[in-house]
Amino acid sequence: MTLADEPVQGPALPPGWGYAEARPDAVTRFVQRVWTKSPVWAAPFAALVCMSGAVGYTLATHPAAAGAGDAPTCLLKYTTGFVCPGCGGTRAAWYLLHGDVPAAARHHAIFTFAVPFLLYMYVAWAGKRLFNWNLPQLRIGPGAMIAFVAVWGVWSVLRNLPWAPFTAFYV
């Protein structure tokens, strides 16, 4: 006789306490229904539209020439004077779009570092989904993500310190 043949020990569960499959809510069911019926190009196209909108906004607003309080502005920096973790990202994107990598790194070094990886990940994903290309997928493990976020956090704190050499990080 095996353990599987033994009867379940203990009191019976009250009604409704079983392990019934949870039914997804209406929004989840709607999204799943739309996802299964959408064409294969819809997700890469939607991501491309979002990225194009961000690039268009960046080029249209010319953030490198914007004065204090001009759009685009960081609400945290505008109200507290502190530089937020993403502060300088739009200006870095503007400089990257114009090919000035040193100026982009000066405004947001971590964004400048991450952009090539993000672009490659998009191309590899969209290429596999649309054209069945077999580009190597970047596999970023939890350790790498934790290290990236930790470096970003430390860098975000250091750029707010008001004494040298950390004032060089202020943008």
Side-chain angles (χ1 to χ4, degrees):
M1 186 168 207
T2 65
L3 187 60
D5 298 329
E6 291 288 322
V8 176
Q9 302 294 322
L13 290 174
W17 282 32
Y19 292 102
E21 185 81 22
R23 187 167 187 252
D25 61 294
V27 173
T28 303
R29 288 193 312 270
F30 172 74
V31 169
Q32 288 173 340
R33 187 172 57 249
V34 169
W35 177 259
T36 56
K37 293 179 181 180
S38 65
V40 71
W41 54 265
F45 180 72
L48 187 62
V49 166
C50 290
M51 289 186 289
S52 299
V55 166
Y57 174 79
T58 302
L59 291 173
T61 58
H62 196 315
D70 291 348
T73 187
C74 175
L75 186 60
L76 181 72
K77 186 174 181 179
Y78 191 65
T79 57
T80 66
F82 290 118
V83 178
C84 77
C87 203
T90 309
R91 285 170 282 171
W94 191 85
Y95 283 115
L96 282 176
L97 290 169
H98 289 84
D100 193 350
V101 176
R106 164 71 182 95
H107 283 83
H108 203 297
I110 294 180
F111 175 80
T112 305
F113 172 78
V115 163
F117 295 102
L118 295 172
L119 288 175
Y120 178 81
M121 289 170 66
Y122 171 76
V123 168
W125 168 72
K128 177 70 174 169
R129 188 158 175 84
L130 296 173
F131 309 114
N132 204 22
W133 293 346
N134 286 321
L135 294 173
Q137 300 288 325
L138 290 180
R139 306 232 186 266
I140 301 172
M145 285 304 298
I146 289 169
F148 181 80
V149 171
V151 166
W152 193 4
V154 168
W155 182 70
S156 297
V157 170
L158 292 178
R159 26 184 347 202
N160 282 296
L161 296 178
W163 56 84
F166 307 114
T167 53
F169 298 140
Y170 190 78
V171 292

